[in-house]
PDB file of all heavy atoms in Angstrom:
ATOM      1  N   ILE A1160      -3.043  13.010   9.555  1.00 98.00           N
ATOM      2  CA  ILE A1160      -1.846  13.790   9.237  1.00 98.00           C
ATOM      3  C   ILE A1160      -2.078  15.247   9.626  1.00 98.00           C
ATOM      4  O   ILE A1160      -2.715  16.005   8.884  1.00 98.00           O
ATOM      5  CB  ILE A1160      -1.505  13.698   7.735  1.00 98.00           C
ATOM      6  CG1 ILE A1160      -1.440  12.241   7.282  1.00 98.00           C
ATOM      7  CG2 ILE A1160      -0.193  14.421   7.439  1.00 98.00           C
ATOM      8  CD1 ILE A1160      -1.351  12.068   5.783  1.00 98.00           C
ATOM      9  N   GLY A1162      -0.587  19.130  10.512  1.00 97.00           N
ATOM     10  CA  GLY A1162       0.581  19.917  10.143  1.00 97.00           C
ATOM     11  C   GLY A1162       0.208  21.341   9.799  1.00 97.00           C
ATOM     12  O   GLY A1162      -0.906  21.802  10.045  1.00 97.00           O
ATOM     13  N   ARG A1163       1.171  22.029   9.195  1.00 97.00           N
ATOM     14  CA  ARG A1163       0.944  23.401   8.778  1.00 97.00           C
ATOM     15  C   ARG A1163       1.762  23.714   7.545  1.00 97.00           C
ATOM     16  O   ARG A1163       2.812  23.101   7.284  1.00 97.00           O
ATOM     17  CB  ARG A1163       1.298  24.389   9.883  1.00 97.00           C
ATOM     18  CG  ARG A1163       2.753  24.397  10.292  1.00 97.00           C
ATOM     19  CD  ARG A1163       3.123  25.664  11.042  1.00 97.00           C
ATOM     20  NE  ARG A1163       3.157  26.816  10.151  1.00 97.00           N
ATOM     21  CZ  ARG A1163       3.330  28.083  10.568  1.00 97.00           C
ATOM     22  NH1 ARG A1163       3.446  28.333  11.863  1.00 97.00           N
ATOM     23  NH2 ARG A1163       3.371  29.078   9.719  1.00 97.00           N
ATOM     24  N   ALA A1164       1.265  24.645   6.758  1.00 95.00           N
ATOM     25  CA  ALA A1164       1.977  25.183   5.604  1.00 95.00           C
ATOM     26  C   ALA A1164       2.008  26.700   5.748  1.00 95.00           C
ATOM     27  O   ALA A1164       1.690  27.243   6.814  1.00 95.00           O
ATOM     28  CB  ALA A1164       1.278  24.758   4.323  1.00 95.00           C
ATOM     29  N   ASP A1166       0.063  28.946   4.412  1.00 88.00           N
ATOM     30  CA  ASP A1166      -1.213  29.629   4.406  1.00 88.00           C
ATOM     31  C   ASP A1166      -2.228  29.100   5.398  1.00 88.00           C
ATOM     32  O   ASP A1166      -3.242  29.752   5.649  1.00 88.00           O
ATOM     33  CB  ASP A1166      -1.815  29.599   2.994  1.00 88.00           C
ATOM     34  CG  ASP A1166      -1.747  28.208   2.369  1.00 88.00           C
ATOM     35  OD1 ASP A1166      -1.195  27.300   3.012  1.00 88.00           O
ATOM     36  OD2 ASP A1166      -2.243  28.049   1.242  1.00 88.00           O
ATOM     37  N   SER A1167      -2.000  27.910   5.969  1.00 94.00           N
ATOM     38  CA  SER A1167      -2.995  27.352   6.887  1.00 94.00           C
ATOM     39  C   SER A1167      -2.406  26.188   7.654  1.00 94.00           C
ATOM     40  O   SER A1167      -1.388  25.612   7.269  1.00 94.00           O
ATOM     41  CB  SER A1167      -4.237  26.883   6.116  1.00 94.00           C
ATOM     42  OG  SER A1167      -3.908  25.761   5.303  1.00 94.00           O
ATOM     43  N   ALA A1168      -3.094  25.834   8.734  1.00 97.00           N
ATOM     44  CA  ALA A1168      -2.863  24.541   9.377  1.00 97.00           C
ATOM     45  C   ALA A1168      -3.848  23.551   8.767  1.00 97.00           C
ATOM     46  O   ALA A1168      -4.799  23.940   8.078  1.00 97.00           O
ATOM     47  CB  ALA A1168      -3.074  24.655  10.883  1.00 97.00           C
ATOM     48  N   PHE A1169      -3.606  22.262   9.017  1.00 98.00           N
ATOM     49  CA  PHE A1169      -4.459  21.273   8.375  1.00 98.00           C
ATOM     50  C   PHE A1169      -4.449  19.967   9.155  1.00 98.00           C
ATOM     51  O   PHE A1169      -3.538  19.684   9.942  1.00 98.00           O
ATOM     52  CB  PHE A1169      -4.007  21.001   6.935  1.00 98.00           C
ATOM     53  CG  PHE A1169      -2.577  20.531   6.817  1.00 98.00           C
ATOM     54  CD1 PHE A1169      -2.222  19.202   7.016  1.00 98.00           C
ATOM     55  CD2 PHE A1169      -1.559  21.429   6.516  1.00 98.00           C
ATOM     56  CE1 PHE A1169      -0.903  18.776   6.918  1.00 98.00           C
ATOM     57  CE2 PHE A1169      -0.231  21.016   6.415  1.00 98.00           C
ATOM     58  CZ  PHE A1169       0.085  19.681   6.616  1.00 98.00           C
ATOM     59  N   ILE A1170      -5.470  19.161   8.902  1.00 98.00           N
ATOM     60  CA  ILE A1170      -5.482  17.756   9.280  1.00 98.00           C
ATOM     61  C   ILE A1170      -6.037  16.988   8.088  1.00 98.00           C
ATOM     62  O   ILE A1170      -7.154  17.255   7.635  1.00 98.00           O
ATOM     63  CB  ILE A1170      -6.342  17.468  10.528  1.00 98.00           C
ATOM     64  CG1 ILE A1170      -5.832  18.251  11.744  1.00 98.00           C
ATOM     65  CG2 ILE A1170      -6.331  15.973  10.834  1.00 98.00           C
ATOM     66  CD1 ILE A1170      -6.675  18.045  13.003  1.00 98.00           C
ATOM     67  N   TRP A1171      -5.231  16.052   7.569  1.00 97.00           N
ATOM     68  CA  TRP A1171      -5.710  15.150   6.524  1.00 97.00           C
ATOM     69  C   TRP A1171      -6.053  13.817   7.191  1.00 97.00           C
ATOM     70  O   TRP A1171      -5.315  13.329   8.052  1.00 97.00           O
ATOM     71  CB  TRP A1171      -4.662  14.910   5.442  1.00 97.00           C
ATOM     72  CG  TRP A1171      -3.945  16.088   4.860  1.00 97.00           C
ATOM     73  CD1 TRP A1171      -2.646  16.131   4.483  1.00 97.00           C
ATOM     74  CD2 TRP A1171      -4.466  17.393   4.540  1.00 97.00           C
ATOM     75  NE1 TRP A1171      -2.320  17.358   3.978  1.00 97.00           N
ATOM     76  CE2 TRP A1171      -3.425  18.157   3.999  1.00 97.00           C
ATOM     77  CE3 TRP A1171      -5.733  17.982   4.681  1.00 97.00           C
ATOM     78  CZ2 TRP A1171      -3.585  19.467   3.586  1.00 97.00           C
ATOM     79  CZ3 TRP A1171      -5.902  19.306   4.273  1.00 97.00           C
ATOM     80  CH2 TRP A1171      -4.844  20.030   3.726  1.00 97.00           C
ATOM     81  N   VAL A1172      -7.140  13.218   6.757  1.00 98.00           N
ATOM     82  CA  VAL A1172      -7.567  11.920   7.271  1.00 98.00           C
ATOM     83  C   VAL A1172      -7.743  10.973   6.095  1.00 98.00           C
ATOM     84  O   VAL A1172      -8.390  11.321   5.097  1.00 98.00           O
ATOM     85  CB  VAL A1172      -8.889  12.045   8.057  1.00 98.00           C
ATOM     86  CG1 VAL A1172      -9.393  10.670   8.490  1.00 98.00           C
ATOM     87  CG2 VAL A1172      -8.705  12.947   9.277  1.00 98.00           C
ATOM     88  N   TYR A1179     -10.057  12.899   3.530  1.00 97.00           N
ATOM     89  CA  TYR A1179     -10.699  14.145   3.944  1.00 97.00           C
ATOM     90  C   TYR A1179      -9.616  15.188   4.220  1.00 97.00           C
ATOM     91  O   TYR A1179      -8.578  14.868   4.806  1.00 97.00           O
ATOM     92  CB  TYR A1179     -11.514  13.941   5.217  1.00 97.00           C
ATOM     93  CG  TYR A1179     -12.546  12.842   5.137  1.00 97.00           C
ATOM     94  CD1 TYR A1179     -12.190  11.528   5.457  1.00 97.00           C
ATOM     95  CD2 TYR A1179     -13.861  13.100   4.758  1.00 97.00           C
ATOM     96  CE1 TYR A1179     -13.140  10.501   5.395  1.00 97.00           C
ATOM     97  CE2 TYR A1179     -14.809  12.094   4.696  1.00 97.00           C
ATOM     98  CZ  TYR A1179     -14.447  10.790   5.014  1.00 97.00           C
ATOM     99  OH  TYR A1179     -15.370   9.789   4.958  1.00 97.00           O
ATOM    100  N   SER A1180      -9.891  16.430   3.828  1.00 96.00           N
ATOM    101  CA  SER A1180      -8.964  17.530   4.059  1.00 96.00           C
ATOM    102  C   SER A1180      -9.678  18.602   4.865  1.00 96.00           C
ATOM    103  O   SER A1180     -10.707  19.127   4.430  1.00 96.00           O
ATOM    104  CB  SER A1180      -8.486  18.127   2.729  1.00 96.00           C
ATOM    105  OG  SER A1180      -7.880  17.131   1.916  1.00 96.00           O
ATOM    106  N   VAL A1181      -9.134  18.924   6.042  1.00 97.00           N
ATOM    107  CA  VAL A1181      -9.740  19.919   6.909  1.00 97.00           C
ATOM    108  C   VAL A1181      -8.704  21.003   7.188  1.00 97.00           C
ATOM    109  O   VAL A1181      -7.610  20.712   7.694  1.00 97.00           O
ATOM    110  CB  VAL A1181     -10.236  19.294   8.233  1.00 97.00           C
ATOM    111  CG1 VAL A1181     -10.948  20.340   9.074  1.00 97.00           C
ATOM    112  CG2 VAL A1181     -11.152  18.100   7.947  1.00 97.00           C
ATOM    113  N   LEU A1182      -9.050  22.243   6.864  1.00 97.00           N
ATOM    114  CA  LEU A1182      -8.137  23.367   7.044  1.00 97.00           C
ATOM    115  C   LEU A1182      -8.482  24.148   8.307  1.00 97.00           C
ATOM    116  O   LEU A1182      -9.657  24.230   8.696  1.00 97.00           O
ATOM    117  CB  LEU A1182      -8.204  24.299   5.835  1.00 97.00           C
ATOM    118  CG  LEU A1182      -7.792  23.692   4.484  1.00 97.00           C
ATOM    119  CD1 LEU A1182      -7.957  24.732   3.387  1.00 97.00           C
ATOM    120  CD2 LEU A1182      -6.364  23.174   4.528  1.00 97.00           C
ATOM    121  N   TYR A1183      -7.454  24.741   8.912  1.00 97.00           N
ATOM    122  CA  TYR A1183      -7.606  25.536  10.131  1.00 97.00           C
ATOM    123  C   TYR A1183      -6.789  26.813   9.991  1.00 97.00           C
ATOM    124  O   TYR A1183      -5.758  26.831   9.294  1.00 97.00           O
ATOM    125  CB  TYR A1183      -7.092  24.763  11.349  1.00 97.00           C
ATOM    126  CG  TYR A1183      -7.833  23.501  11.674  1.00 97.00           C
ATOM    127  CD1 TYR A1183      -7.549  22.313  11.007  1.00 97.00           C
ATOM    128  CD2 TYR A1183      -8.815  23.483  12.665  1.00 97.00           C
ATOM    129  CE1 TYR A1183      -8.228  21.144  11.314  1.00 97.00           C
ATOM    130  CE2 TYR A1183      -9.495  22.319  12.978  1.00 97.00           C
ATOM    131  CZ  TYR A1183      -9.195  21.149  12.296  1.00 97.00           C
ATOM    132  OH  TYR A1183      -9.867  19.991  12.595  1.00 97.00           O
ATOM    133  N   PRO A1184      -7.181  27.887  10.676  1.00 97.00           N
ATOM    134  CA  PRO A1184      -6.321  29.078  10.725  1.00 97.00           C
ATOM    135  C   PRO A1184      -4.988  28.729  11.404  1.00 97.00           C
ATOM    136  O   PRO A1184      -4.924  27.855  12.266  1.00 97.00           O
ATOM    137  CB  PRO A1184      -7.132  30.067  11.576  1.00 97.00           C
ATOM    138  CG  PRO A1184      -8.527  29.556  11.566  1.00 97.00           C
ATOM    139  CD  PRO A1184      -8.439  28.070  11.420  1.00 97.00           C
ATOM    140  N   LEU A1185      -3.958  29.423  11.012  1.00 96.00           N
ATOM    141  CA  LEU A1185      -2.648  29.180  11.628  1.00 96.00           C
ATOM    142  C   LEU A1185      -2.673  29.424  13.130  1.00 96.00           C
ATOM    143  O   LEU A1185      -1.891  28.834  13.878  1.00 96.00           O
ATOM    144  CB  LEU A1185      -1.593  30.063  10.965  1.00 96.00           C
ATOM    145  CG  LEU A1185      -1.163  29.637   9.554  1.00 96.00           C
ATOM    146  CD1 LEU A1185      -0.269  30.700   8.930  1.00 96.00           C
ATOM    147  CD2 LEU A1185      -0.460  28.290   9.590  1.00 96.00           C
ATOM    148  N   GLU A1187      -4.692  28.300  15.122  1.00 97.00           N
ATOM    149  CA  GLU A1187      -5.150  27.089  15.793  1.00 97.00           C
ATOM    150  C   GLU A1187      -4.121  25.966  15.718  1.00 97.00           C
ATOM    151  O   GLU A1187      -4.434  24.805  15.985  1.00 97.00           O
ATOM    152  CB  GLU A1187      -6.491  26.635  15.214  1.00 97.00           C
ATOM    153  CG  GLU A1187      -7.620  27.604  15.478  1.00 97.00           C
ATOM    154  CD  GLU A1187      -8.977  27.013  15.184  1.00 97.00           C
ATOM    155  OE1 GLU A1187      -9.176  25.811  15.446  1.00 97.00           O
ATOM    156  OE2 GLU A1187      -9.850  27.758  14.680  1.00 97.00           O
ATOM    157  N   TYR A1188      -2.899  26.326  15.379  1.00 97.00           N
ATOM    158  CA  TYR A1188      -1.788  25.361  15.319  1.00 97.00           C
ATOM    159  C   TYR A1188      -0.783  25.701  16.404  1.00 97.00           C
ATOM    160  O   TYR A1188      -0.356  26.852  16.544  1.00 97.00           O
ATOM    161  CB  TYR A1188      -1.118  25.426  13.952  1.00 97.00           C
ATOM    162  CG  TYR A1188       0.106  24.546  13.813  1.00 97.00           C
ATOM    163  CD1 TYR A1188      -0.005  23.226  13.408  1.00 97.00           C
ATOM    164  CD2 TYR A1188       1.379  25.049  14.079  1.00 97.00           C
ATOM    165  CE1 TYR A1188       1.118  22.424  13.261  1.00 97.00           C
ATOM    166  CE2 TYR A1188       2.504  24.255  13.940  1.00 97.00           C
ATOM    167  CZ  TYR A1188       2.368  22.941  13.534  1.00 97.00           C
ATOM    168  OH  TYR A1188       3.476  22.157  13.400  1.00 97.00           O
ATOM    169  N   VAL A1197      -3.776  20.911  16.697  1.00 98.00           N
ATOM    170  CA  VAL A1197      -4.455  21.583  15.592  1.00 98.00           C
ATOM    171  C   VAL A1197      -5.936  21.624  15.935  1.00 98.00           C
ATOM    172  O   VAL A1197      -6.567  20.573  16.097  1.00 98.00           O
ATOM    173  CB  VAL A1197      -4.240  20.856  14.256  1.00 98.00           C
ATOM    174  CG1 VAL A1197      -4.937  21.620  13.131  1.00 98.00           C
ATOM    175  CG2 VAL A1197      -2.762  20.686  13.947  1.00 98.00           C
ATOM    176  N   GLY A1198      -6.469  22.813  16.085  1.00 98.00           N
ATOM    177  CA  GLY A1198      -7.862  22.932  16.507  1.00 98.00           C
ATOM    178  C   GLY A1198      -8.067  22.296  17.863  1.00 98.00           C
ATOM    179  O   GLY A1198      -7.346  22.579  18.817  1.00 98.00           O
ATOM    180  N   ILE A1211     -12.458  16.364  15.172  1.00 98.00           N
ATOM    181  CA  ILE A1211     -12.362  17.006  13.864  1.00 98.00           C
ATOM    182  C   ILE A1211     -13.761  17.087  13.267  1.00 98.00           C
ATOM    183  O   ILE A1211     -14.434  16.060  13.109  1.00 98.00           O
ATOM    184  CB  ILE A1211     -11.428  16.218  12.922  1.00 98.00           C
ATOM    185  CG1 ILE A1211     -10.062  15.970  13.590  1.00 98.00           C
ATOM    186  CG2 ILE A1211     -11.257  16.947  11.599  1.00 98.00           C
ATOM    187  CD1 ILE A1211      -9.206  14.958  12.857  1.00 98.00           C
ATOM    188  N   GLN A1212     -14.175  18.290  12.915  1.00 97.00           N
ATOM    189  CA  GLN A1212     -15.519  18.489  12.385  1.00 97.00           C
ATOM    190  C   GLN A1212     -15.441  19.331  11.115  1.00 97.00           C
ATOM    191  O   GLN A1212     -14.824  20.398  11.102  1.00 97.00           O
ATOM    192  CB  GLN A1212     -16.404  19.196  13.417  1.00 97.00           C
ATOM    193  CG  GLN A1212     -16.472  18.522  14.771  1.00 97.00           C
ATOM    194  CD  GLN A1212     -17.165  17.167  14.737  1.00 97.00           C
ATOM    195  OE1 GLN A1212     -18.011  16.915  13.871  1.00 97.00           O
ATOM    196  NE2 GLN A1212     -16.806  16.287  15.672  1.00 97.00           N
ATOM    197  N   SER A1213     -16.065  18.827  10.051  1.00 97.00           N
ATOM    198  CA  SER A1213     -16.183  19.586   8.809  1.00 97.00           C
ATOM    199  C   SER A1213     -17.486  19.183   8.139  1.00 97.00           C
ATOM    200  O   SER A1213     -18.246  18.362   8.666  1.00 97.00           O
ATOM    201  CB  SER A1213     -14.982  19.319   7.887  1.00 97.00           C
ATOM    202  OG  SER A1213     -15.062  18.019   7.319  1.00 97.00           O
ATOM    203  N   ALA A1214     -17.739  19.731   6.962  1.00 96.00           N
ATOM    204  CA  ALA A1214     -18.979  19.406   6.260  1.00 96.00           C
ATOM    205  C   ALA A1214     -19.057  17.929   5.908  1.00 96.00           C
ATOM    206  O   ALA A1214     -20.145  17.337   5.892  1.00 96.00           O
ATOM    207  CB  ALA A1214     -19.089  20.258   4.994  1.00 96.00           C
ATOM    208  N   LEU A1216     -16.778  15.459   7.340  1.00 98.00           N
ATOM    209  CA  LEU A1216     -16.101  14.579   8.290  1.00 98.00           C
ATOM    210  C   LEU A1216     -16.435  14.932   9.733  1.00 98.00           C
ATOM    211  O   LEU A1216     -16.387  16.102  10.131  1.00 98.00           O
ATOM    212  CB  LEU A1216     -14.588  14.668   8.094  1.00 98.00           C
ATOM    213  CG  LEU A1216     -13.728  13.907   9.116  1.00 98.00           C
ATOM    214  CD1 LEU A1216     -13.916  12.403   8.968  1.00 98.00           C
ATOM    215  CD2 LEU A1216     -12.261  14.286   8.975  1.00 98.00           C
ATOM    216  N   PRO A1370      -3.817  16.480  -0.578  1.00 93.00           N
ATOM    217  CA  PRO A1370      -2.967  17.633  -0.878  1.00 93.00           C
ATOM    218  C   PRO A1370      -1.530  17.343  -0.458  1.00 93.00           C
ATOM    219  O   PRO A1370      -1.275  16.566   0.466  1.00 93.00           O
ATOM    220  CB  PRO A1370      -3.574  18.752  -0.034  1.00 93.00           C
ATOM    221  CG  PRO A1370      -4.932  18.267   0.352  1.00 93.00           C
ATOM    222  CD  PRO A1370      -4.820  16.776   0.442  1.00 93.00           C
ATOM    223  N   LYS A1376       3.292  25.598   0.145  1.00 92.00           N
ATOM    224  CA  LYS A1376       1.836  25.644   0.067  1.00 92.00           C
ATOM    225  C   LYS A1376       1.301  24.272  -0.346  1.00 92.00           C
ATOM    226  O   LYS A1376       1.948  23.552  -1.102  1.00 92.00           O
ATOM    227  CB  LYS A1376       1.368  26.707  -0.929  1.00 92.00           C
ATOM    228  CG  LYS A1376       1.776  28.123  -0.545  1.00 92.00           C
ATOM    229  CD  LYS A1376       1.209  29.133  -1.511  1.00 92.00           C
ATOM    230  CE  LYS A1376       1.690  30.549  -1.174  1.00 92.00           C
ATOM    231  NZ  LYS A1376       1.234  30.975   0.147  1.00 92.00           N
ATOM    232  N   MET A1377       0.115  23.925   0.151  1.00 92.00           N
ATOM    233  CA  MET A1377      -0.491  22.641  -0.183  1.00 92.00           C
ATOM    234  C   MET A1377      -1.207  22.743  -1.528  1.00 92.00           C
ATOM    235  O   MET A1377      -2.435  22.656  -1.632  1.00 92.00           O
ATOM    236  CB  MET A1377      -1.453  22.215   0.923  1.00 92.00           C
ATOM    237  CG  MET A1377      -0.746  21.877   2.215  1.00 92.00           C
ATOM    238  SD  MET A1377       0.301  20.414   2.037  1.00 92.00           S
ATOM    239  CE  MET A1377       1.259  20.504   3.552  1.00 92.00           C
TER     240      MET A1377
END
Side-chain angles (χ1 to χ4, degrees):
I1160 308 170
R1163 63 162 288 173
D1166 47 357
S1167 68
F1169 58 82
I1170 300 178
W1171 312 143
V1172 175
Y1179 305 88
S1180 303
V1181 184
L1182 298 178
Y1183 297 82
L1185 286 172
E1187 294 193 37
Y1188 176 88
V1197 182
I1211 307 168
Q1212 305 293 333
S1213 73
L1216 174 67
K1376 298 184 183 298
M1377 292 294 167

